[in-house]
Each structure stands twice: as structure tokens, then as C-alpha cells.
Amino acid sequence: MKKEQAQQDEFASMGITREEYVALLAYSANDGDAMAQFEWGKELMRGELVRKDEKEALRWFCSAAQQGHAEAQFRAGYALFFGIGCEANEDDAAHWMVKSAEQEVPNAQFFVGLMSLAAICGWPQDVEAARQWMTLAAQKGYAPAENMLAALAEDAPMPVAHWRHFIDEQRAAYQGDAANLFNSGMEAYFRRSEADDATAVSFFRRAAELGHAKAQMMLGVALREGKGCAKNAQESRKWIEKAAKQGQLQAQEELGYYYTRVKTDFAIAHHWLVRAAAQGSAAAMYDLGYFGVAGAFGEVDYARAAEYFSKAGELGHWQSRVALSMMYEYGKGCEQNEARAIALVNSTLKYTDDESLAKFRAHFARVLTP
């Protein structure tokens, strides 16, 4: 979050905190300053340092927009279009979007191009106008516009109904459809820009709050990595645990990994790994096998370990196959069988050429096939 860090540094150079800055924003906004109104609206929409209030945020965006603030015009148009803090109003949305686009805001230029494709507000579909707006946005490095231009390069552009459906999906997401929120988040996530990361987190959070397990998992990962948001380890685990409790496999694996390798608590790790293994997670099976070999609960259980390594190995988990081969070699948890051990390591070569396997290849070098 380079922009956020730059802001923090700027506040520090002025000798004030971000909280004090926000208080000054509210004062200046009420005094009629358009930039302050826009920034105050963003704080209200974000809801981090003040109580979130989308309706009030829109009011301030519109106030700044009326004074000609280009970014506020885009924010007002966006909120009005998707019904954020208000009833959706395409006519008013188009009014502010066009004004913002005319002031060279790439997001707005992209959106006006999309409206031209979807024939919003009774406009006729105008593919050439859409290309022109998308080109202007793309020239400023706006990735979604670059992607859209590639789609528009085809000889037969999609009909109005296609674009209307696309927009309706986005609107449904904002109106509380958790699945669409999550899908919209994933679309933004895979665009891989810093701005898109923040957009993805916004979608994931909305879907997560509605109970969408995969969105809870993705939000947890974003908070852990600080991708599209500030890092927050405690909140990250909270969302991952919510996803895990709903049976989300990746979340269960994440918790198993965390409580095995980061904050050691084998009892909690075992709780989640057993559930992940029951869903077919080879990685979880391997960790459970490791628990047996290491005596994680006070007693070594080679037989149980061999069972888990065998199941994970059948799923192609090469570390489990190697671990099982060593158990066959030394007769731990199973009958000693060097031939079986050699066969397991030999067959593991088809699963990986990982350098970690080199020491095992050397161990059995005398009999391994070329």
C-alpha cells in the first residue's frame, strides 16, 4: 500500500496524525472546500476512522461534483449507478460520468465507454464511441480499458444484451448477491494492479460479511499479505476461521499450516487438518502423518503415520511417498521391505524433479533405475 504509506509520511511531516487529518477534512468540507468534501466522502465510504455511511458519503461526493471536482463526479456517478447509498439512477449517473470523463478521469472514460456499449439511458449502442473512450482510458494505463479494447477488436462486437447482462451482474453484486460479489472480486484480483487489488478486497469483504466462505478465505489471505489493504494478522485469522468453519478446504489447510509451523498448537492444527484430510487434502494427510512420526501428542504412532502417508501418496503427494518409503526401509509402522521402499522412491520421480528429492535418490542410488 504505497499510497497509504506516502499519506502517513505526509501527515508525519506536517506534525499531525491521520485521525487529526480526518477531523480537519470534516471541518473543511463543511466550509465548502471541494477537495475536502471529496476526501471526507471517501472516509465515510471507507469507514475505517469514522462510522461508515454510504448515503452521507454520496452527499459529499455530489457536493464536490457540483463544484467541478472530477474524481468526485466519477464517485457520484458510480454510486448512483450501482445504488450505493441511494436508489440506483442511471440518468443521474450518466450525467456525472460524462462530466468526469470529459475531465480526463480514466475510470470514468472506461465507464462511459461501457455505457455506450450497453445503451444506457436510452442511448443507442455506439461501438465506435466506446472504442474512443476506452482508448483514452487505456492511454493512461487503465488496465480494464486495455482489456476491453482487445475484446472490441473482434469483427462482431457483442450485442447490447450482453453488456446489459454484464452490468446487471455488477449491480447485483453491490446489492448484496454474495456470489456475484465474490466473482467480481476474483475478476479484479486477477487483473493484478494495486488499484484492482483494493477493488477486489472491497468485493471480498462485502461477500464475506454475507457469509460467502471463499470470499472469507480470500479476504483473510489479503489481510495476511497486505494486498489491497493494510496487513492485519488478527483479522486475517478471524476470516479464515469463519471460512474453515463452513468447510472451506483451503481455509482448513491454512489453519493447519499456521498452527503447525507458525504458532505451534498441535491440538488446534489437528482439529483442522483432520477436517481437511476428510475432504481429500493430501497436504493435510502429510501433516497428520508427520504428527504421528513426531509424537505430536506425546506418543509416536508409526502405523497411523504410514496410513496417512500412503493415502496422500496415492494422491500424488511426493513428500508423502518418500516418507512412506523410509518407513518401509526401516520397518516403522509397516513390515520392513526395502524393495517396496526402492519402488516408491523410484516411482516418485514421475511426480517431481524437486531438488529436495536429490538426497533420497542418492540414498537409493545403487538400485534406482536411470
Side-chain angles (χ1 to χ4, degrees):
M1 301 296 288
K2 296 179 182 178
K3 184 176 180 180
E4 182 176 336
Q5 185 58 53
Q7 288 179 333
Q8 295 286 11
D9 294 342
E10 183 180 355
F11 301 149
S13 69
M14 293 187 294
I16 62 173
T17 65
R18 187 161 182 248
E19 288 77 5
E20 291 170 331
Y21 168 74
V22 170
L24 287 172
L25 277 183
Y27 176 83
S28 298
N30 279 293
D31 202 40
D33 183 277
M35 176 62 76
Q37 290 173 345
F38 170 63
E39 293 294 338
W40 179 232
K42 289 200 297 182
E43 292 295 338
L44 288 164
M45 192 66 78
R46 188 180 296 119
E48 292 179 357
L49 297 178
V50 295
R51 183 177 63 84
K52 184 169 182 170
D53 190 331
E54 293 178 345
K55 182 177 181 180
E56 187 68 3
L58 175 57
R59 185 174 77 83
W60 287 111
F61 288 149
C62 288
S63 181
Q66 288 166 357
Q67 296 189 64
H69 191 288
E71 288 285 349
Q73 289 170 343
F74 168 72
R75 292 281 188 130
Y78 198 79
L80 285 161
F81 190 84
F82 286 110
I84 304 172
C86 62
E87 291 290 330
N89 187 319
E90 291 185 354
D91 290 331
D92 287 349
H95 169 79
W96 289 121
M97 281 291 184
V98 170
K99 284 189 172 297
S100 180
E102 289 171 345
Q103 293 202 68
E104 303 295 323
V105 175
N107 314 52
Q109 291 171 332
F110 168 80
F111 209 91
V112 172
L114 185 58
M115 295 171 106
S116 298
L117 292 171
I120 297 297
C121 308
W123 300 355
Q125 186 184 51
D126 191 334
V127 177
E128 185 53 41
R131 284 197 184 96
Q132 291 174 5
W133 285 115
M134 296 294 179
T135 299
L136 290 171
Q139 288 171 348
K140 298 178 180 65
Y142 191 64
E146 294 172 354
N147 296 337
M148 191 65 75
L149 280 174
L152 293 177
E154 299 177 3
D155 293 335
M158 295 291 186
V160 169
H162 169 83
W163 300 111
R164 287 297 310 191
H165 178 69
F166 173 79
I167 288 175
D168 287 343
E169 283 185 338
Q170 309 307 307
R171 182 181 283 119
Y174 273 111
Q175 291 173 348
D177 184 323
N180 272 322
L181 282 165
F182 173 72
N183 291 337
S184 296
M186 292 303 293
E187 288 174 6
Y189 177 81
F190 283 116
R191 288 197 290 266
R192 300 295 186 185
S193 75
E194 186 172 327
D196 287 323
D197 287 342
T199 299
V201 169
S202 175
F203 279 119
F204 291 148
R205 186 177 293 279
R206 285 172 176 262
E209 290 169 349
L210 291 168
H212 194 283
K214 288 184 179 179
Q216 291 169 343
M217 175 61 207
M218 292 300 294
L219 177 59
V221 171
L223 287 162
R224 183 189 66 202
E225 298 177 353
K227 187 173 182 179
C229 56
K231 286 187 178 181
N232 189 323
Q234 184 176 356
E235 190 179 2
S236 170
R237 284 196 300 279
K238 179 192 79 172
W239 285 111
I240 292 175
E241 285 179 3
K242 283 180 178 291
K245 288 176 181 177
Q246 293 198 70
Q248 212 281 326
L249 177 58
Q250 187 183 356
Q252 293 173 342
E253 291 176 331
E254 286 274 340
L255 291 175
Y257 181 93
Y258 177 80
Y259 286 107
T260 301
R261 297 171 177 82
V262 181
K263 182 179 180 181
T264 306
D265 190 324
F266 289 143
I268 297 178
H270 184 267
H271 171 85
W272 292 116
L273 289 171
V274 166
R275 283 154 179 75
Q279 294 196 66
S281 169
M285 294 173 192
Y286 173 75
D287 280 347
L288 289 169
Y290 167 80
F291 281 11
V293 170
F297 297 104
E299 184 177 339
V300 173
D301 189 342
Y302 287 124
R304 188 68 169 157
E307 181 182 348
Y308 275 121
F309 289 147
S310 178
K311 288 180 178 178
E314 290 171 1
L315 294 171
H317 193 271
W318 73 263
Q319 294 95 328
S320 294
R321 296 175 67 86
V322 169
L324 184 60
S325 74
M326 301 301 287
M327 299 186 81
Y328 271 113
E329 182 182 14
Y330 296 109
K332 299 293 187 180
C334 53
E335 289 187 12
Q336 187 174 17
N337 187 331
E338 188 174 65
R340 177 62 176 151
I342 292 168
L344 274 167
V345 173
N346 207 26
S347 65
T348 299
L349 295 174
K350 72 180 181 181
Y351 290 104
T352 181
D353 58 358
D354 194 289
E355 291 180 3
S356 301
L357 194 57
K359 61 181 180 180
F360 296 103
R361 287 202 295 266
H363 182 76
F364 292 111
R366 64 191 185 280
V367 286
L368 282 178
T369 57

